[in-house]
Amino acid sequence: MAQFVARRLVLMAIVLFGVLVITFVVSHVIPADPVGAILGGNAPPEKVAELRRQLNLDKPLPQQFVTYLAGAVRGDLGRSLRTGRPVTEDIGRFFPATLELALAATLVALAVGIPLGVVSAVGRNRLPDHVARVLSIVGVSMPVFWLGLVLLLVFYFRLGWLPGSGRLDLFTIEPPRVTGLLLVDSLLAREWEALRSALSHLVLPAVVLGFSATANVARTSRSSMLEVLFQDFVRTARAKGVPERAVVLRHALRNALIPTVTLVGLIFGSLLEGAVLTETIFSWPGLGRYITTGYLALDYPAVMGGTLYIAVVYSLVNLVVDILYAVIDPRVRV
């Protein structure tokens, strides 16, 4: 087991190094000058040269990469050109919002996807199955930005039932920061108005982000349920006269959930990655929006640091999933 974990850690380090190389190269080959974006086109040459020296842009590209790599190993991802703060400090400010959104989207995917998959499997080749399969296909194929804009148009502009942007209402006081997760901090501080406001702001982004994941959970649950429903122990339970509802929920569903549960880790990692677009649509102050605005402002340290941090979290989640697989099935360790 130790060798298995060690091999996975080595692969994780290789993947992260590849991400770091790609983000660095892409950020520096784009034909745009961050110094010009900061100072403007009419800045004196001496100020331009001074800022290029401060940003380490006056050195050859390989030397810049070595300097950045050495800083990343020490946990120093540079200083954001836009906010003026260390990138690690900005990540600490913005990542809890992304984490809260990804957790809520995962709950949406599980709460909707599992019942949808069960109904589809139990009613195989009947109307519920056809409806569930169509919804799954729609969920996989529908672009996130289009769904987000439609929900904003309906529930924010037309009906006015839900807020359209941000994490809190304009005049709602934010609870004292403990975890950075507004729902948790509101509960800890017993700020019920902040809790209500945070929940209402979370609904639309979580539904949009979790919609495609819901389709994947539903398809996995359906295939697992179909496999379990035809096994001997399920037929034995039916032969003993166990009610069909108990057969499905007590015997079949429990066994069919194993692949779905192991899928949760992968879904959660992909939601962290996919939150970039959702946060942009809903002006959600998370790490994805931080990266997007950094890219538009040519804030390369913010883009590289945020991307690398998401890659680290995604790799750690996959590492945990791999270890769980190895614990459940020892053949995976080979």
Side-chain angles (χ1 to χ4, degrees):
M1 189 65 183
Q3 290 183 350
F4 173 80
V5 175
R7 286 200 301 269
R8 289 294 183 271
L9 287 174
V10 171
L11 289 175
M12 179 178 161
I14 295 174
V15 169
L16 293 179
F17 180 75
V19 171
L20 192 146
V21 171
I22 293 173
T23 53
F24 181 86
V25 171
V26 170
S27 299
H28 286 75
V29 298
I30 296 175
D33 186 8
V35 176
I38 296 173
L39 296 179
N42 298 322
E46 58 273 14
K47 283 193 174 181
V48 173
E50 174 64 19
L51 187 56
R52 290 185 68 83
R53 187 188 62 77
Q54 291 178 3
L55 298 178
N56 209 28
L57 296 175
D58 59 336
K59 296 182 174 60
L61 201 60
Q63 189 174 348
Q64 292 182 40
F65 176 74
V66 172
T67 303
Y68 184 75
L69 179 62
V73 171
R74 296 193 307 269
D76 180 10
L77 299 175
R79 186 174 289 274
S80 170
L81 306 181
R82 187 170 53 89
T83 65
R85 295 187 294 262
V87 173
T88 50
E89 182 181 333
D90 281 344
I91 290 174
R93 286 171 177 252
F94 293 107
F95 183 69
T98 300
L99 179 63
E100 188 173 60
L101 178 58
L103 289 173
T106 303
L107 289 178
V108 170
L110 294 178
V112 179
I114 291 177
L116 200 62
V118 172
V119 169
S120 178
V122 173
R124 184 187 180 192
N125 293 330
R126 295 200 295 268
L127 181 61
D129 185 25
H130 297 316
V131 173
R133 293 169 70 179
V134 168
L135 289 176
S136 297
I137 294 174
V138 171
V140 172
S141 57
M142 182 177 293
V144 171
F145 72 92
W146 186 85
L147 177 63
L149 293 177
V150 169
L151 293 184
L152 274 177
L153 177 65
V154 174
F155 293 99
Y156 174 60
F157 287 107
R158 296 293 182 186
L159 301 176
W161 290 354
L162 293 169
S165 62
R167 298 180 73 190
L168 286 174
D169 291 332
L170 186 59
F171 299 107
T172 301
I173 299 175
E174 186 172 337
R177 185 184 180 92
V178 179
T179 65
L181 308 176
L182 278 183
L183 297 182
V184 177
D185 290 350
S186 300
L187 285 172
L188 292 176
R190 298 184 180 181
E191 297 284 351
W192 309 122
E193 177 58 27
L195 178 63
R196 182 206 62 76
S197 179
L199 274 173
S200 63
H201 281 76
L202 189 59
V203 172
L204 285 182
V207 169
V208 171
L209 185 60
F211 191 67
S212 61
T214 300
N216 291 326
V217 171
R219 296 172 70 173
T220 303
S221 301
R222 179 183 183 274
S223 61
S224 301
M225 279 294 292
L226 286 175
E227 184 178 345
V228 172
L229 284 173
F230 289 101
Q231 291 187 4
D232 291 339
F233 73 94
V234 174
R235 283 197 289 265
T236 302
R238 284 173 173 156
K240 288 182 178 179
V242 178
E244 184 64 20
R245 183 184 181 87
V247 170
V248 172
L249 297 180
R250 192 181 305 165
H251 296 276
L253 180 60
R254 182 179 299 178
N255 292 277
L257 280 181
I258 295 175
T260 305
V261 171
T262 54
L263 182 67
V264 171
L266 298 176
I267 289 177
F268 180 71
S270 64
L271 290 178
L272 282 176
E273 180 186 4
V276 174
L277 195 55
T278 305
E279 290 180 1
T280 303
I281 295 172
F282 291 95
S283 298
W284 188 263
L287 190 58
R289 188 160 175 258
Y290 173 72
I291 294 174
T292 305
T293 53
Y295 184 79
L296 295 175
L298 302 179
D299 188 357
Y300 296 149
V303 175
M304 291 189 294
T307 305
L308 183 63
Y309 187 78
I310 288 181
V312 169
V313 175
Y314 188 82
S315 299
L316 286 176
V317 171
N318 278 279
L319 176 65
V320 172
V321 172
D322 286 345
I323 293 175
L324 289 177
Y325 269 128
V327 171
I328 296 172
D329 187 356
R331 293 173 299 177
V332 178
R333 303 176 194 174
V334 179

